[in-house]
Short mmCIF file of all heavy atoms in Angstrom, two decimals:
data_model
loop_
_atom_site.label_atom_id
_atom_site.label_comp_id
_atom_site.label_asym_id
_atom_site.label_seq_id
_atom_site.Cartn_x
_atom_site.Cartn_y
_atom_site.Cartn_z
N VAL A 62 58.67 160.44 103.07
CA VAL A 62 59.65 159.54 102.46
C VAL A 62 61.05 160.16 102.43
O VAL A 62 62.05 159.45 102.53
CB VAL A 62 59.17 159.09 101.06
CG1 VAL A 62 59.22 160.22 100.05
CG2 VAL A 62 59.93 157.87 100.58
N VAL A 63 61.13 161.47 102.32
CA VAL A 63 62.40 162.19 102.56
C VAL A 63 62.10 163.20 103.67
O VAL A 63 61.58 164.29 103.41
CB VAL A 63 62.95 162.87 101.29
CG1 VAL A 63 63.73 161.89 100.45
CG2 VAL A 63 61.85 163.51 100.45
N ILE A 70 61.17 172.31 96.40
CA ILE A 70 60.81 173.27 95.34
C ILE A 70 59.44 172.87 94.80
O ILE A 70 59.23 171.70 94.44
CB ILE A 70 61.86 173.27 94.21
CG1 ILE A 70 63.26 173.54 94.76
CG2 ILE A 70 61.46 174.27 93.13
CD1 ILE A 70 63.46 174.92 95.29
N TYR A 76 49.44 173.01 85.17
CA TYR A 76 48.47 172.31 84.33
C TYR A 76 47.55 173.37 83.73
O TYR A 76 47.03 174.23 84.45
CB TYR A 76 47.61 171.34 85.14
CG TYR A 76 48.26 170.05 85.56
CD1 TYR A 76 49.04 169.99 86.71
CD2 TYR A 76 48.05 168.87 84.85
CE1 TYR A 76 49.62 168.81 87.13
CE2 TYR A 76 48.63 167.68 85.26
CZ TYR A 76 49.41 167.65 86.40
OH TYR A 76 49.97 166.47 86.81
N VAL A 121 46.63 167.46 94.68
CA VAL A 121 47.43 166.27 94.38
C VAL A 121 48.53 166.64 93.38
O VAL A 121 48.30 167.40 92.44
CB VAL A 121 46.55 165.13 93.83
CG1 VAL A 121 45.87 165.51 92.52
CG2 VAL A 121 47.37 163.86 93.65
N GLU A 122 49.72 166.10 93.60
CA GLU A 122 50.84 166.41 92.72
C GLU A 122 51.79 165.21 92.58
O GLU A 122 51.95 164.42 93.52
CB GLU A 122 51.65 167.61 93.25
CG GLU A 122 50.77 168.81 93.54
CD GLU A 122 51.53 170.12 93.63
OE1 GLU A 122 52.74 170.14 93.31
OE2 GLU A 122 50.90 171.12 94.02
N LEU A 123 52.40 165.11 91.41
CA LEU A 123 53.52 164.22 91.21
C LEU A 123 54.75 164.84 91.87
O LEU A 123 55.07 166.01 91.62
CB LEU A 123 53.78 164.02 89.72
CG LEU A 123 55.05 163.24 89.36
CD1 LEU A 123 54.92 161.78 89.72
CD2 LEU A 123 55.37 163.40 87.87
N GLY A 124 55.44 164.06 92.71
CA GLY A 124 56.66 164.53 93.32
C GLY A 124 57.89 163.88 92.69
O GLY A 124 57.87 162.69 92.37
N LEU A 125 58.93 164.67 92.48
CA LEU A 125 60.21 164.19 91.98
C LEU A 125 61.20 164.18 93.14
O LEU A 125 61.31 165.18 93.86
CB LEU A 125 60.77 165.09 90.87
CG LEU A 125 59.82 165.58 89.79
CD1 LEU A 125 60.57 166.52 88.83
CD2 LEU A 125 59.18 164.43 89.06
N VAL A 126 61.92 163.09 93.31
CA VAL A 126 62.97 163.02 94.33
C VAL A 126 64.30 162.90 93.61
O VAL A 126 64.49 162.04 92.74
CB VAL A 126 62.75 161.84 95.28
CG1 VAL A 126 63.88 161.77 96.31
CG2 VAL A 126 61.40 161.97 95.99
N ILE A 127 65.20 163.80 93.94
CA ILE A 127 66.51 163.87 93.26
C ILE A 127 67.44 162.79 93.80
O ILE A 127 67.51 162.55 95.01
CB ILE A 127 67.12 165.28 93.46
CG1 ILE A 127 66.19 166.36 92.87
CG2 ILE A 127 68.50 165.36 92.82
CD1 ILE A 127 65.90 166.19 91.39
N ILE A 143 67.00 162.01 88.51
CA ILE A 143 65.79 161.60 89.22
C ILE A 143 66.00 160.24 89.87
O ILE A 143 66.27 159.25 89.19
CB ILE A 143 64.58 161.54 88.26
CG1 ILE A 143 64.33 162.91 87.61
CG2 ILE A 143 63.34 161.06 89.01
CD1 ILE A 143 63.26 162.87 86.54
N ALA A 144 65.86 160.18 91.20
CA ALA A 144 65.87 158.88 91.88
C ALA A 144 64.56 158.17 91.66
O ALA A 144 64.53 156.95 91.44
CB ALA A 144 66.11 159.09 93.38
N GLY A 145 63.45 158.90 91.70
CA GLY A 145 62.16 158.29 91.50
C GLY A 145 61.06 159.29 91.75
O GLY A 145 61.29 160.47 92.00
N TYR A 146 59.83 158.79 91.67
CA TYR A 146 58.63 159.61 91.85
C TYR A 146 57.97 159.27 93.18
O TYR A 146 58.12 158.17 93.71
CB TYR A 146 57.62 159.35 90.73
CG TYR A 146 58.01 159.89 89.37
CD1 TYR A 146 57.29 159.49 88.24
CD2 TYR A 146 59.06 160.77 89.20
CE1 TYR A 146 57.61 159.98 86.98
CE2 TYR A 146 59.40 161.26 87.94
CZ TYR A 146 58.67 160.85 86.83
OH TYR A 146 58.99 161.32 85.58
N THR A 147 57.22 160.23 93.70
CA THR A 147 56.43 160.03 94.90
C THR A 147 55.13 160.82 94.77
O THR A 147 54.91 161.50 93.77
CB THR A 147 57.23 160.42 96.16
OG1 THR A 147 56.58 159.92 97.32
CG2 THR A 147 57.42 161.92 96.27
N VAL A 148 54.27 160.73 95.77
CA VAL A 148 53.00 161.45 95.80
C VAL A 148 53.13 162.61 96.79
O VAL A 148 53.64 162.44 97.90
CB VAL A 148 51.84 160.53 96.24
CG1 VAL A 148 50.51 161.30 96.21
CG2 VAL A 148 51.77 159.28 95.37
N VAL A 149 52.65 163.78 96.36
CA VAL A 149 52.64 164.96 97.22
C VAL A 149 51.22 165.53 97.23
O VAL A 149 50.56 165.61 96.19
CB VAL A 149 53.61 166.05 96.72
CG1 VAL A 149 53.51 167.31 97.59
CG2 VAL A 149 55.04 165.53 96.69
N ASN A 150 50.75 165.90 98.41
CA ASN A 150 49.51 166.67 98.52
C ASN A 150 49.89 168.04 99.05
O ASN A 150 50.19 168.20 100.23
CB ASN A 150 48.50 165.98 99.45
CG ASN A 150 47.16 166.70 99.50
OD1 ASN A 150 46.97 167.72 98.87
ND2 ASN A 150 46.23 166.15 100.27
N PRO A 175 51.34 165.87 103.01
CA PRO A 175 51.70 164.45 102.91
C PRO A 175 52.67 164.20 101.75
O PRO A 175 52.49 164.75 100.65
CB PRO A 175 50.35 163.78 102.64
CG PRO A 175 49.31 164.76 103.11
CD PRO A 175 49.90 166.10 102.83
N VAL A 176 53.67 163.36 102.01
CA VAL A 176 54.65 162.96 100.98
C VAL A 176 54.93 161.47 101.16
O VAL A 176 55.35 161.04 102.23
CB VAL A 176 55.96 163.76 101.09
CG1 VAL A 176 56.97 163.27 100.06
CG2 VAL A 176 55.72 165.25 100.91
N GLY A 177 54.68 160.70 100.11
CA GLY A 177 54.93 159.26 100.21
C GLY A 177 54.04 158.50 99.23
O GLY A 177 53.56 159.09 98.27
N ALA A 179 56.20 156.09 99.04
CA ALA A 179 57.52 155.59 98.68
C ALA A 179 58.13 156.46 97.59
O ALA A 179 57.43 157.25 96.94
CB ALA A 179 57.40 154.14 98.15
N VAL A 180 59.42 156.32 97.41
CA VAL A 180 60.10 156.77 96.19
C VAL A 180 60.15 155.56 95.27
O VAL A 180 60.70 154.52 95.64
CB VAL A 180 61.52 157.28 96.48
CG1 VAL A 180 62.24 157.62 95.17
CG2 VAL A 180 61.49 158.50 97.37
N VAL A 181 59.56 155.70 94.11
CA VAL A 181 59.47 154.60 93.16
C VAL A 181 60.34 154.91 91.95
O VAL A 181 60.15 155.94 91.29
CB VAL A 181 58.00 154.37 92.72
CG1 VAL A 181 57.91 153.20 91.75
CG2 VAL A 181 57.12 154.13 93.94
N LEU A 183 61.86 154.85 88.20
CA LEU A 183 61.07 154.98 86.98
C LEU A 183 60.92 153.66 86.23
O LEU A 183 59.96 153.48 85.48
CB LEU A 183 61.68 156.05 86.07
CG LEU A 183 61.86 157.45 86.69
CD1 LEU A 183 62.15 158.47 85.60
CD2 LEU A 183 60.66 157.87 87.52
N LEU A 186 57.57 151.95 86.64
CA LEU A 186 56.35 152.65 86.25
C LEU A 186 56.00 152.41 84.79
O LEU A 186 56.88 152.20 83.96
CB LEU A 186 56.51 154.15 86.51
CG LEU A 186 56.77 154.52 87.96
CD1 LEU A 186 57.10 156.00 88.08
CD2 LEU A 186 55.58 154.16 88.84
N LEU A 193 51.13 159.36 83.71
CA LEU A 193 50.51 158.73 84.87
C LEU A 193 49.24 159.49 85.28
O LEU A 193 49.19 160.72 85.21
CB LEU A 193 51.48 158.72 86.04
CG LEU A 193 52.82 158.05 85.80
CD1 LEU A 193 53.73 158.22 87.02
CD2 LEU A 193 52.65 156.58 85.46
N VAL A 195 46.90 161.16 87.91
CA VAL A 195 46.95 161.75 89.25
C VAL A 195 45.50 162.01 89.67
O VAL A 195 44.69 162.47 88.87
CB VAL A 195 47.79 163.03 89.31
CG1 VAL A 195 49.25 162.73 89.04
CG2 VAL A 195 47.29 164.09 88.35
N THR A 209 49.86 163.13 83.97
CA THR A 209 51.11 163.90 84.01
C THR A 209 51.57 164.33 82.62
O THR A 209 52.39 165.25 82.50
CB THR A 209 52.22 163.10 84.70
OG1 THR A 209 52.42 161.86 84.01
CG2 THR A 209 51.86 162.82 86.15
N LEU A 212 51.20 168.11 81.99
CA LEU A 212 52.04 169.14 82.61
C LEU A 212 52.58 170.10 81.54
O LEU A 212 53.06 169.66 80.49
CB LEU A 212 53.22 168.50 83.34
CG LEU A 212 52.92 167.77 84.65
CD1 LEU A 212 54.09 166.88 85.04
CD2 LEU A 212 52.61 168.76 85.76
N PRO A 216 58.97 166.86 84.04
CA PRO A 216 60.05 166.68 85.01
C PRO A 216 61.43 167.11 84.52
O PRO A 216 62.16 167.78 85.26
CB PRO A 216 59.99 165.17 85.30
CG PRO A 216 58.54 164.84 85.13
CD PRO A 216 58.09 165.67 83.97
N ILE A 219 61.65 170.91 84.29
CA ILE A 219 61.67 171.52 85.63
C ILE A 219 63.07 171.40 86.24
O ILE A 219 63.63 172.38 86.74
CB ILE A 219 60.63 170.85 86.54
CG1 ILE A 219 59.22 171.12 86.03
CG2 ILE A 219 60.79 171.35 87.98
CD1 ILE A 219 58.17 170.24 86.69
N ILE A 220 63.63 170.21 86.21
CA ILE A 220 64.94 170.00 86.81
C ILE A 220 66.00 170.85 86.12
O ILE A 220 66.84 171.48 86.77
CB ILE A 220 65.32 168.51 86.78
CG1 ILE A 220 64.44 167.73 87.77
CG2 ILE A 220 66.80 168.29 87.11
CD1 ILE A 220 64.54 166.24 87.65
N ASP A 233 66.55 165.99 97.55
CA ASP A 233 65.70 167.16 97.34
C ASP A 233 64.38 166.72 96.72
O ASP A 233 64.30 165.74 95.96
CB ASP A 233 66.38 168.20 96.45
CG ASP A 233 67.46 168.98 97.17
OD1 ASP A 233 67.55 168.88 98.42
OD2 ASP A 233 68.22 169.71 96.49
N LEU A 234 63.33 167.48 97.03
CA LEU A 234 61.97 167.16 96.60
C LEU A 234 61.43 168.27 95.72
O LEU A 234 61.56 169.45 96.07
CB LEU A 234 61.08 166.97 97.83
CG LEU A 234 59.59 166.73 97.60
CD1 LEU A 234 59.35 165.42 96.88
CD2 LEU A 234 58.85 166.76 98.94
N ILE A 235 60.83 167.90 94.60
CA ILE A 235 60.16 168.85 93.72
C ILE A 235 58.71 168.42 93.54
O ILE A 235 58.44 167.28 93.14
CB ILE A 235 60.84 168.94 92.35
CG1 ILE A 235 62.30 169.40 92.50
CG2 ILE A 235 60.08 169.90 91.42
CD1 ILE A 235 63.08 169.43 91.19
N ALA A 236 57.78 169.32 93.86
CA ALA A 236 56.35 169.09 93.62
C ALA A 236 55.98 169.80 92.32
O ALA A 236 56.21 171.00 92.18
CB ALA A 236 55.53 169.62 94.80
N THR A 237 55.42 169.06 91.38
CA THR A 237 55.34 169.52 89.99
C THR A 237 54.09 170.30 89.65
O THR A 237 53.91 170.71 88.50
CB THR A 237 55.48 168.33 89.02
OG1 THR A 237 54.41 167.40 89.27
CG2 THR A 237 56.82 167.64 89.20
N GLY A 238 53.19 170.54 90.59
CA GLY A 238 51.98 171.30 90.31
C GLY A 238 50.74 170.42 90.30
O GLY A 238 50.82 169.20 90.24
N VAL A 263 48.96 158.77 92.72
CA VAL A 263 49.65 158.83 91.44
C VAL A 263 49.79 157.40 90.95
O VAL A 263 50.31 156.52 91.65
CB VAL A 263 51.04 159.50 91.54
CG1 VAL A 263 51.76 159.44 90.19
CG2 VAL A 263 50.91 160.94 92.02
N VAL A 266 52.60 154.71 91.57
CA VAL A 266 53.48 155.21 92.63
C VAL A 266 52.91 154.88 94.00
O VAL A 266 53.61 154.43 94.90
CB VAL A 266 53.71 156.73 92.48
CG1 VAL A 266 54.55 157.26 93.63
CG2 VAL A 266 54.38 157.03 91.13
#
Side-chain angles (χ1 to χ4, degrees):
V62 71
V63 277
I70 305 292
Y76 285 83
V121 62
E122 308 199 9
L123 172 71
L125 316 177
V126 179
I127 300 301
I143 300 173
Y146 289 168
T147 194
V148 182
V149 177
N150 185 358
V176 177
V180 174
V181 181
L183 304 194
L186 299 173
L193 304 175
V195 295
T209 58
L212 287 164
I219 295 167
I220 290 170
D233 284 349
L234 175 64
I235 299 176
T237 60
V263 176
V266 177

